[in-house]
Amino acid sequence: MRVRVALARALAVTLSIAACFAPGADGRWLSGGVSGLVVTPAIIQKELSRFLWLPDTRVGHTNVANRGTTPIVVDFTIAGIAHTEDGSIDVLPCPPEVGAALILSPAGSVTVMPGRAATIRLDLDRAYADTPGRSGLCAALIISSAPVRTRPAPQGMEVGSMVVVPVMVKLPWRDRARLEVVDARVESSDKEDGRHTLALKVANEGGAYQRVDGRVRITAADGTRAAEAELESALVLPGCTRAFRAELRGPELPPGRYLADAQIRADGKAAGGARLTVSSLGRP
């Protein structure tokens, strides 16, 4: 059973992956608290390259700015990461191999003065990249801040700010998408002019993140095409399942049993699919 880290008791951290990748998103937000902690980008995503047998281990960087009026001390923690079926992030206890694989520079806490910023670089440990069978890494970089004080703050006073930055790394020379369609069903609309909706779940059984989309064709028992749906692109982390919902195009489906032929793509490339039997109950 996955257990969320204790920090969730102090600050609920829920971040939609879909929102992170929304077109036009600039990856900036102001956290709660008067310290004015601003972190950019909101997500770090990198496909590493390699020259001959030497992998590039430079993952990326994050900028931490102080838009407040008091100096702040900023700390960094690596945690595990997963997501729910709707794409909301869960911060989990960090697997030891993940904590050792991400190298932060500088490694310790930093002090940021008002109006100034600090840059933190992230690198992937070369031993991790060279290990056979590893095709990627996903983690959460937890960035927390508190005001610099000359004496302890009174109990119950300001506790600072906290930001969670998803970090996703892929080793494409080892990556082979392992996606499985685990469930499909047709949902009826209760609106007079509403259309049926296809609900589909895709599990990522590989070791790296995948951007998943696809197409589903619905056929009747006699083989005639009854409807189809396009699955919009969404991110699926390793070990997680993502739920897709898409409006079915075509004539209204009468009650009965149908065959759903789902063809899934990962990063624009064919990644298998499945044929499942679904039922339509017609309009309620």
Side-chain angles (χ1 to χ4, degrees), residues 26-135:
D26 61 4
R28 302 177 61 177
W29 71 90
L30 185 66
S31 298
V34 299
S35 60
L37 175 66
V38 177
V39 175
T40 57
I43 193 165
I44 298 173
Q45 181 182 358
K46 182 69 177 289
E47 286 194 17
L48 298 182
S49 60
R50 68 173 179 173
F51 178 73
L52 298 178
W53 63 89
L54 295 176
D56 179 9
T57 58
R58 296 170 295 181
V59 173
H61 68 276
T62 183
N63 296 313
V64 181
N66 183 359
R67 301 292 177 84
T69 58
T70 182
I72 58 175
V73 176
V74 184
D75 291 296
F76 305 90
T77 305
I78 302 296
I81 194 172
H83 64 70
T84 60
E85 291 183 351
D86 66 0
S88 298
I89 281 183
D90 280 342
V91 177
L92 308 174
C94 185
E97 65 274 13
V98 172
L102 275 180
I103 302 172
L104 306 183
S105 180
S109 59
V110 297
T111 299
V112 184
M113 303 302 292
R116 305 298 295 271
T119 298
I120 308 301
R121 192 178 74 239
L122 289 85
D123 292 276
L124 186 66
D125 180 67
R126 188 173 298 277
Y128 185 96
D130 289 338
T131 302
R134 284 179 172 160
S135 56

Side-chain angles (χ1 to χ4, degrees), residues 185-189 195-199 245 248 279-282:
R185 66 181 184 275
V186 173
E187 298 177 348
S188 302
S189 173
R195 304 185 69 86
H196 289 74
T197 298
L198 176 73
R245 292 175 59 84
L248 286 172
S279 297
S280 172
L281 301 178

